[in-house]
Amino acid sequence: QVQLVESGGGSVQTGGSLRLSCAASGHTISNYAMGWFRQAPGKEREFVATTKYSHSNHYSADYADSLKARFTISRDNAGNGVQLQMNSLKPEDTAVYYCAADRSNKGGKSTWDYDYWGQGTQVTVSS
C-alpha cells in the first residue's frame, strides 16, 4: 500500500509560480508511474502530467498538451517523491492538484490508470 501526501499548494497571482511536491511512503515508487491530475470546482478530474520508468534509470514524461509549455514534472527517487513545477500560472489553473501512483508503470492519462491517490493540495491563482 502506498500513501501519497501532496504539499506546496497556495495562492499566487497571475504569472506566478508554484512547486508542488508529493511524498510517497509504504513502498518505493522508483518503478511506478507517477502522475499529477487536477480538479476545478464543478469539473471532472483532468490529467496534468505523468512520468514513468523507461530504461537504464531513465524516466519519460508526458503532459497535457495545453500545459506542457508551463509545467514540468520531475522525480526524486532518493526522497521517494515527485514534483510539479508550475510557471506562468493563470486563473484557469485554479484547482485541487492530486498526485497519483500507478504500480503497473503505464503512465497513462486516465484516472483509471492509477492505483493510489493523495488527498490533494489547493492551488489558487488570482488575476
Side-chain angles (χ1 to χ4, degrees):
Q1 192 79 357
V2 175
Q3 292 79 44
L4 303 173
V5 178
E6 302 94 338
S7 62
S11 298
V12 296
Q13 293 187 328
T14 297
S17 298
L18 282 174
R19 185 175 181 84
L20 305 183
S21 295
C22 173
S25 61
H27 197 282
T28 181
I29 60 165
S30 58
N31 292 331
Y32 286 20
M34 298 296 296
W36 286 97
F37 288 74
R38 67 185 185 183
Q39 188 167 18
K43 295 187 176 181
E44 293 187 353
R45 194 169 297 190
E46 65 173 359
F47 170 75
V48 173
T50 187
T51 175
K52 67 177 183 179
Y53 180 80
S54 178
H55 66 281
S56 303
N57 290 328
H58 284 79
Y59 293 84
S60 63
D62 199 4
Y63 298 88
D65 288 341
S66 63
L67 300 176
K68 64 176 60 178
R70 300 186 293 119
F71 289 14
T72 303
I73 189 170
S74 59
R75 302 182 73 116
D76 173 20
N77 284 337
N80 212 36
V82 64
Q83 291 79 41
L84 183 70
Q85 178 68 40
M86 306 185 296
N87 298 326
S88 302
L89 285 163
K90 306 174 181 180
E92 50 263 44
D93 295 319
T94 295
V96 177
Y97 284 71
Y98 295 91
C99 174
D102 163 23
R103 60 177 181 251
S104 300
N105 195 44
K106 296 184 293 296
K109 299 181 180 181
S110 169
T111 58
W112 294 101
D113 292 323
Y114 294 83
D115 305 294
Y116 306 104
W117 291 85
Q119 293 299 306
T121 185
Q122 176 70 47
V123 171
T124 303
V125 185
S126 58
S127 57

